[in-house]
Amino acid sequence: MRRIIELVRKEFIQTLRDKRMIGLIFVAPLLQLIMLGYAVTTDVKHIALCVWDNDRSRESRELVSKAVVSGYFDDSGTVGSDEEMERAFKSGRSDLVIYFPPEYSKRIKRGEKAKVELIADGSDSNLTNIAFGYMGQIINLENNKLQIENVARLKAAKGAEIKVPLIELKPRVLYNPEMKSANYMIPGEIGLILTLITILLTSMSITKEKESGTIEQLIVSPLRSSEVIIGKTIPFAVIGMLIVLFIITGGIFVFNITLKGNIFTLFFASFLFLLNTLGIGLFISTISKTQQQAMLSSIIFILPSIMISGFAFPVSNMPIEIQWLSYLLPLRYFFIIIRGIFLKGAGFAILWPEMLALFLLGTTVFILAALRFRKKLS
Amino acid sequence: MSQIIEINSLIKYFGPVQALKGVTFSVEEGEIFGLVGPDGAGKTTTVRMLAGVMDIDSGTAMLGGFDVKQQSEQSKALIGYMPQRFSLYGDLTVEENLDFFADLYDVRAQERVEMKRELYSFSRLEKFRKRPAGKLSGGMQKKLALACALINVPKVLILDEPTIGVDPLSRQELWEMLLKLNKEKGVTILVTTSYMDEVERCGRVGLLFEGTLLKVAKLESILTGGKRFEEIFISEMEKQKNMKRL
């Protein structure tokens, strides 16, 4: 026990004395918090809209100004020909072009069907979909308005009661009502940073002993393998928990995210998750000889696991084989848990299957790594 | 005199390469035994297996009557081991390194104070207490490594090329420390070296060449006919090569 404490103490002194480590531990979470909170946003606003107006009427101008007033579109000038439109797309001046054919307003006034054409850049498929959606909504509202005006005119002319059936959509968002992407991203960041830092630190700290030869002294000493493993993982578990606390505080006070669930449930889940990442770090250290190898192996594991575990892209959209693969990734469960606790206020009653999965995966990885971790030189 | 180290037909493979081809020798309590040979002869492999740092493929190694393989805890308790490469924590200070190893070996309060005072005066590292070990000169690093290897008061000291990369003066000092330990405390010393002048400080030497122990003998019995040790060593190696050719 005493020996473990001393190993932990030594590890802390070494880690805190290494300036690069300090950078990794303190600056990385801060940078990510700022980037994910402010910069990385899936909220789409300021879509560059160019107008190709061959009608030049009050009606066409009105539709454009409604789009701009909504805040989703920015007026990005006009185009007058196919070539000009292409240039606007290629130079990035335009994301979307709205084309009004001649007679647009006349057809409306005559009570006929008027056509508007939307031409999109399309290289960013997500942005294009959202732009079409917003513009569709704006045109729908305009349609409704025209219908109602029409009915009112008819009523005045004929004095008869005319009913117009309309379906009105009233969307209500439960758990992230402002649809802020920070609300979704920052809890996810806990998983991201914990993965990155604990896997890297654990694998590198053990391979550092291999590289510098100090592992030989540890092997000769009466330390048991289990004591080395525990002594080497506790410091990073503690650092991991501090990072969790840091991100929660930053999220709440800087980005006004409300933690709906229980903070202790969150810490408990983080602990279960750490069991996984520390085990993975330990495992990587058993297959790496140098710190560089450990770092590369860590990155090779971390990057795809962030991609397919639902940090930014929904798992349910992925091919079924990838979805199966994602069941093996602790991050997949952890993202569900932290977002559940943060945004929905969920607790053990709801999240226990994910927590159980984390526990089982974590103990398996940890035991596998511990079995591979032998106190011998090869 | 009892045999404190007994090594019997030690074999080690690295992949397809047989690094040790059945090495057998023993060391008596209180003697200084030198394992001599060119680079790649298998000196480091032999002492690593004896120290329990590396697996033994076949054969046995006994330390003070304990089997290194089966009773590693007891056998490890007897030894102080100083690896070839500087292997202390360069980012910890001299004192922190000493304290860390004292903790690993459960050296407690009062005992530790005395032990540290003794080791400081012995190694003359007292005034560098607060300096990071990585910033010490090569010679001082070796002295610190030796001090750390002595923290558990070992009966056997295993040193792997202790003076490699050390200036002549520090080499001299280090050997004086070793001789003093041997004479005053009766510590048995097993040392590997490729410096021929250091061989002459050993009581007995074993000549290791390409994984085979060519000869084990008292230094005096080898140094006959006014020949220098180097000449004898080279002629032994030539003999071995000729035998292979036949």
Side-chain angles (χ1 to χ4, degrees):
Chain A
M1 193 60 214
R2 209 182 128 82
R3 289 198 291 250
I4 294 177
I5 294 171
E6 287 312 319
L7 197 57
V8 170
R9 205 169 65 97
K10 184 217 83 183
E11 208 61 45
F12 268 119
I13 295 178
Q14 272 190 303
T15 309
L16 297 181
R17 214 166 266 175
D18 189 341
K19 291 202 179 69
R20 287 176 310 170
M21 287 293 183
I22 301 259
L24 190 62
I25 296 167
F26 295 103
V27 180
L30 189 67
L31 273 180
Q32 288 229 359
L33 190 66
I34 292 169
M35 284 196 306
L36 291 180
Y38 287 119
V40 182
T41 164
T42 52
D43 309 346
V44 176
K45 281 183 180 171
H46 304 291
I47 301 163
L49 176 71
C50 278
V51 181
W52 184 353
D53 192 351
N54 279 347
D55 191 46
R56 294 172 198 282
S57 59
R58 191 174 60 84
E59 281 79 5
S60 65
R61 279 193 299 275
E62 214 172 74
L63 191 64
V64 171
S65 83
K66 275 187 179 147
V68 174
V69 167
S70 73
Y72 296 121
F73 296 94
D74 282 354
D75 185 353
S76 197
T78 59
V79 291
S81 65
D82 275 326
E83 293 75 39
E84 218 183 322
M85 180 173 74
E86 206 173 324
R87 265 203 308 282
F89 279 133
K90 281 187 176 157
S91 68
R93 177 162 76 95
S94 166
D95 298 317
L96 189 74
V97 167
I98 184 165
Y99 171 74
F100 295 97
E103 305 227 313
Y104 167 77
S105 54
K106 273 188 198 145
R107 280 171 169 271
I108 290 176
K109 280 175 196 149
R110 284 205 297 261
E112 292 169 17
K113 197 185 255 177
K115 284 181 181 164
V116 179
E117 198 173 330
L118 288 179
I119 305 113
D121 177 324
S123 48
D124 182 344
S125 58
N126 190 37
L127 178 90
T128 305
N129 275 333
I130 292 170
F132 279 162
Y134 285 151
M135 196 51 98
Q137 278 180 32
I138 290 164
I139 291 175
N140 263 341
L141 284 175
E142 192 64 16
N143 269 337
N144 287 351
K145 204 194 86 186
L146 287 174
Q147 291 303 320
I148 290 161
E149 279 175 7
N150 208 14
V151 170
R153 248 200 323 271
L154 280 172
K155 235 196 299 195
K158 295 192 176 170
E161 184 69 19
I162 301 168
K163 283 187 185 149
V164 184
L166 272 181
I167 299 174
E168 197 183 0
L169 184 69
K170 287 243 178 206
R172 190 158 76 97
V173 178
L174 279 185
Y175 299 120
N176 183 2
E178 304 145 90
M179 304 266 273
K180 264 192 345 194
S181 63
N183 284 346
Y184 186 69
M185 288 293 187
I186 287 177
E189 195 210 345
I190 296 177
L192 215 59
I193 283 282
L194 274 189
T195 309
L196 201 65
I197 293 209
T198 51
I199 292 184
L200 269 180
L201 287 184
T202 314
S203 64
M204 284 174 69
S205 126
I206 297 173
T207 43
K208 188 180 177 186
E209 303 247 7
K210 284 193 196 175
E211 244 179 52
S212 64
T214 46
I215 194 91
E216 269 187 79
Q217 290 289 13
L218 289 187
I219 297 172
V220 183
S221 80
L223 271 181
R224 289 189 203 92
S225 294
S226 57
E227 290 175 314
V228 176
I229 290 175
I230 296 170
K232 278 277 173 192
T233 46
I234 285 181
F236 307 119
V238 172
I239 289 173
M241 285 301 189
L242 287 178
I243 290 172
V244 174
L245 190 66
F246 173 78
I247 300 174
I248 294 177
T249 323
I252 291 174
F253 291 103
V254 181
F255 294 100
N256 297 318
I257 296 169
T258 36
L259 172 61
K260 292 213 177 104
N262 187 314
I263 193 163
F264 295 106
T265 321
L266 193 65
F267 271 108
F268 178 74
S270 304
F271 172 76
L272 288 180
F273 181 65
L274 279 176
L275 206 60
N276 291 267
T277 54
L278 296 174
I280 292 163
L282 197 65
F283 187 85
I284 288 173
S285 79
T286 65
I287 57 170
S288 319
K289 284 206 172 83
T290 63
Q291 291 192 77
Q292 268 149 326
Q293 284 177 359
M295 198 191 272
L296 274 176
S297 314
S298 302
I299 301 287
I300 286 171
F301 173 81
I302 291 168
L303 277 184
S305 78
I306 287 172
M307 296 286 195
I308 64 172
S309 58
F311 173 66
F313 320 107
V315 179
S316 52
N317 288 357
M318 293 170 192
I320 193 78
E321 295 82 5
I322 300 282
Q323 290 194 34
W324 288 335
L325 190 62
S326 77
Y327 280 113
L328 290 174
L329 297 172
L331 255 184
R332 178 202 164 114
Y333 305 103
F334 193 54
F335 280 141
I336 296 175
I337 294 174
I338 34 178
R339 284 173 178 153
I341 296 174
F342 243 102
L343 298 174
K344 301 183 196 167
F348 286 105
I350 290 165
L351 295 172
W352 68 267
E354 280 81 15
M355 293 203 187
L356 186 66
L358 274 189
F359 175 75
L360 292 178
L361 265 181
T363 41
T364 313
V365 167
F366 210 94
I367 289 171
L368 268 180
L371 287 178
R372 266 194 67 90
F373 183 89
R374 294 185 59 242
K375 253 188 61 186
K376 281 276 155 61
L377 292 177
S378 53
Chain B
M1 277 243 223
S2 67
Q3 310 288 330
I4 197 158
I5 300 175
E6 288 169 278
I7 286 176
N8 201 352
S9 0
L10 221 48
I11 289 174
K12 180 75 192 178
Y13 284 94
F14 290 122
V17 183
Q18 195 176 16
L20 283 189
K21 302 165 182 166
V23 170
T24 304
F25 67 90
S26 50
V27 178
E28 279 172 19
E29 200 168 347
E31 90 175 316
I32 300 183
F33 187 94
L35 202 55
V36 198
D39 287 341
K43 301 177 304 254
T44 299
T45 308
T46 309
V47 294
R48 275 183 168 170
M49 290 201 283
L50 186 62
V53 181
M54 196 177 261
D55 279 330
I56 295 173
D57 286 352
S58 142
T60 54
M62 307 283 282
L63 258 167
F66 298 114
D67 189 328
V68 169
K69 232 187 205 166
Q70 312 291 337
Q71 298 159 293
S72 65
E73 283 196 24
Q74 292 96 320
S75 72
K76 276 180 185 172
L78 294 176
I79 60 164
Y81 168 60
M82 191 172 142
Q84 186 170 352
R85 275 170 61 203
F86 173 70
S87 68
L88 298 171
Y89 296 97
D91 37 13
L92 297 187
T93 65
V94 169
E95 180 149 37
E96 283 166 342
N97 267 296
L98 271 176
D99 276 332
F100 177 64
F101 286 101
D103 285 319
L104 286 192
Y105 287 95
D106 277 327
V107 183
R108 296 297 167 88
Q110 184 55 34
E111 200 186 338
R112 174 183 304 202
V113 176
E114 276 166 34
M115 195 68 210
K116 270 165 69 182
R117 192 189 310 128
E118 200 184 315
L119 287 172
Y120 275 140
S121 76
F122 173 70
S123 60
R124 280 173 248 152
L125 281 170
E126 174 106 57
K127 53 177 180 276
F128 304 110
R129 268 173 50 208
K130 299 276 176 218
R131 188 180 290 192
K135 298 221 165 98
L136 294 173
S137 71
M140 285 199 285
Q141 287 185 343
K142 291 286 180 184
K143 284 184 203 164
L144 176 60
L146 181 59
C148 288
L150 291 172
I151 201 111
N152 63 330
V153 203
K155 287 178 82 173
V156 180
L157 197 54
I158 300 173
L159 308 149
D160 192 7
E161 309 240 9
T163 59
I164 218 160
V166 172
D167 67 89
L169 190 70
S170 300
R171 254 171 84 181
Q172 182 71 22
E173 279 181 359
L174 207 71
W175 268 101
E176 273 163 22
M177 286 163 72
L178 293 179
L179 292 173
K180 198 173 159 201
L181 273 170
N182 178 252
K183 204 175 273 171
E184 290 176 9
K185 304 242 161 123
V187 176
T188 310
I189 294 175
L190 171 64
V191 58
T192 73
T193 181
S194 43
Y195 290 114
M196 294 307 169
D197 59 322
E198 290 185 349
V199 173
E200 287 160 22
R201 302 190 187 254
C202 302
R204 275 195 316 147
V205 289
L207 309 186
L208 196 61
F209 180 66
E210 292 183 346
T212 312
L213 201 60
L214 301 182
K215 197 169 195 174
V216 181
K218 275 208 157 66
L219 200 62
E220 304 95 75
S221 67
I222 296 179
L223 295 174
T224 50
K227 276 193 193 165
R228 295 191 55 221
F229 181 75
E230 276 158 81
E231 295 168 329
I232 294 158
F233 185 67
I234 289 165
S235 79
E236 285 288 338
M237 269 165 50
E238 292 297 325
K239 258 193 239 164
Q240 178 75 11
K241 277 185 190 160
N242 287 335
M243 270 172 62
K244 258 195 205 163
R245 237 172 265 151
L246 294 171

